[in-house]
Amino acid sequence: MTAEHPPGTSLAARHRVTRQGAAIDATLIDLADAFHTAQSIHGELRRRSQPVGLATVYRHLRKLAAVEALDVVIQPDGEAAYRLCGTTSGTEATAKPHHHHLVCRICGSTVEVDGPEVEVWARRVARKAGFSNLTHTVEIFGECERHAGRP
Amino acid sequence: MTAEHPPGTSLAARHRVTRQGAAIDATLIDLADAFHTAQSIHGELRRRSQPVGLATVYRHLRKLAAVEALDVVIQPDGEAAYRLCGTTSGTEATAKPHHHHLVCRICGSTVEVDGPEVEVWARRVARKAGFSNLTHTVEIFGECERHAGRP
DNA sequence: GTAGCTGCAAACAATTTGCACACCG
DNA sequence: CGGTGTGCAAATTGTTTGCAGCTAC
């Protein structure tokens, strides 16, 4: 087999390390407590005086998502939001096996939740209907304590 | 108060009845076994030689959704899909209280499912995190018996 | 008669892609 | 060097909106 990857340093362990890629990763880490759209990340980068092309942001996000280093949530309005997922630190972005989210509709803050019961339920219901090759999305939207009632 | 609405006849009971509105309703009824995007509905209408403007389709769908006569599912790719919901017959489109869907990724056929356990779980988890004013989406995508493996 | 539809095209917003150039390894 | 990553702008796609004319009530 070909050479192993040397101990990585950042999220993009197995990819070419570039200034913009790193900037995106860094931002993602800082904002890891909530979901953000590609656009808002792009904006944040600009705000930090580390402008990165919007297309590049999308490309990078897609790449991270492909390696499952990102959680992707499609909001009720159809816009996609991303958030760093699993073990943020460490050598390699290790994706968590499976989990869902509780997202604040106002500020985007997120709580990761898992529910074995739901997994089981989903599988059981689907099987019973003869469905296979399953996938499921479970997202809970609400207003976190801080924003209950008013922004 | 002004006069009550006479016993409605179609889905659009309290709206002006028009040829195109009726056509959309009819199509929706015929295709009530699966979710369809606005675009595909528009296509189906044209196929039936009852062309309706795409904008009108969207407007009508939005209206029906507002009255909760439609189920709306946002597919993993962000496109919205609609399907007639609840009691299709009868005077007024009575929305079902709450339920979720099992959708075939290939043909779009749908099975309505409900899971009290999930509802309870969602509420419990959210409450515990201090969230209020909840909403949740639970969709299961898979391949129905007929399409398992290959289209 | 009038307000709510409809159609069509233009406007929009999110995301993707083509292509020339930059730069990591 | 060689190929991957980047930028920018143009292209796509799903959905909304403005406006003149039509029509159900």
Side-chain angles (χ1 to χ4, degrees):
Chain A
M1 291 177 191
T2 44
E4 291 300 300
H5 319 285
T9 313
S10 78
L11 288 171
R14 51 192 18 143
H15 297 292
R16 199 169 278 187
V17 174
T18 64
R19 196 212 95 227
Q20 18 294 74
I24 296 177
D25 291 351
T27 302
L28 240 20
I29 292 179
D30 290 353
L31 306 182
D33 63 311
F35 275 83
H36 302 276
T37 65
Q39 316 265 353
S40 71
I41 291 172
H42 172 252
E44 174 63 17
L45 283 166
R46 172 174 299 182
R47 208 168 302 128
R48 295 183 173 202
S49 312
Q50 301 197 321
V52 174
L54 182 56
T56 301
V57 173
Y58 274 109
R59 276 189 286 238
H60 199 77
L61 289 176
R62 200 187 326 161
K63 198 163 298 184
L64 290 179
V67 193
E68 296 190 306
L70 276 187
D71 278 331
V72 185
V73 171
I74 296 188
Q75 302 172 316
D77 69 323
E79 194 176 348
Y82 308 81
R83 210 206 62 158
L84 217 46
C85 136
T87 315
T88 297
S89 54
T91 298
E92 197 168 319
T94 313
K96 279 190 185 162
H98 191 69
H99 57 275
H100 298 290
H101 303 98
L102 180 51
V103 185
C104 173
R105 175 158 43 229
I106 313 282
C107 68
S109 69
T110 300
V111 177
E112 232 162 73
V113 298
D114 67 341
E117 343 161 24
V118 180
E119 311 300 321
V120 176
W121 168 82
R123 208 170 319 149
R124 175 161 48 75
V125 166
R127 285 272 175 71
K128 194 194 295 180
F131 277 58
S132 55
N133 201 346
L134 307 170
T135 288
H136 65 262
T137 56
V138 176
E139 310 298 344
I140 310 179
F141 294 93
E143 290 163 18
C144 70
E145 229 153 357
R146 182 183 310 290
H147 297 99
R150 288 279 152 196
Chain B
M1 292 174 194
T2 43
E4 290 301 299
H5 318 287
T9 313
S10 79
L11 288 170
R14 52 193 15 143
H15 296 292
R16 200 169 277 189
V17 174
T18 65
R19 195 212 97 230
Q20 21 289 77
I24 296 177
D25 291 351
T27 302
L28 240 22
I29 293 180
D30 290 354
L31 305 182
D33 63 314
F35 275 84
H36 302 275
T37 65
Q39 317 262 354
S40 71
I41 291 172
H42 172 252
E44 174 63 17
L45 283 165
R46 172 175 300 182
R47 208 168 302 127
R48 298 183 172 201
S49 312
Q50 302 198 320
V52 175
L54 182 54
T56 300
V57 172
Y58 274 108
R59 276 188 285 237
H60 200 77
L61 288 177
R62 186 155 17 128
K63 196 162 299 185
L64 290 180
V67 194
E68 298 190 305
L70 276 187
D71 277 331
V72 184
V73 170
I74 295 188
Q75 302 173 317
D77 69 321
E79 193 177 348
Y82 309 80
R83 210 205 61 155
L84 218 45
C85 138
T87 314
T88 298
S89 54
T91 299
E92 197 167 318
T94 313
K96 278 189 184 162
H98 191 70
H99 57 275
H100 298 291
H101 304 97
L102 180 50
V103 185
C104 174
R105 176 159 40 231
I106 313 283
C107 67
S109 69
T110 300
V111 178
E112 231 161 76
V113 298
D114 65 341
E117 342 162 22
V118 181
E119 312 300 322
V120 177
W121 167 82
R123 208 169 318 148
R124 175 161 46 78
V125 166
R127 284 273 175 71
K128 195 194 298 182
F131 278 57
S132 55
N133 201 348
L134 307 170
T135 288
H136 64 262
T137 56
V138 176
E139 309 299 344
I140 310 179
F141 293 94
E143 289 163 19
C144 69
E145 230 153 357
R146 182 183 310 291
H147 296 99
R150 287 280 150 196

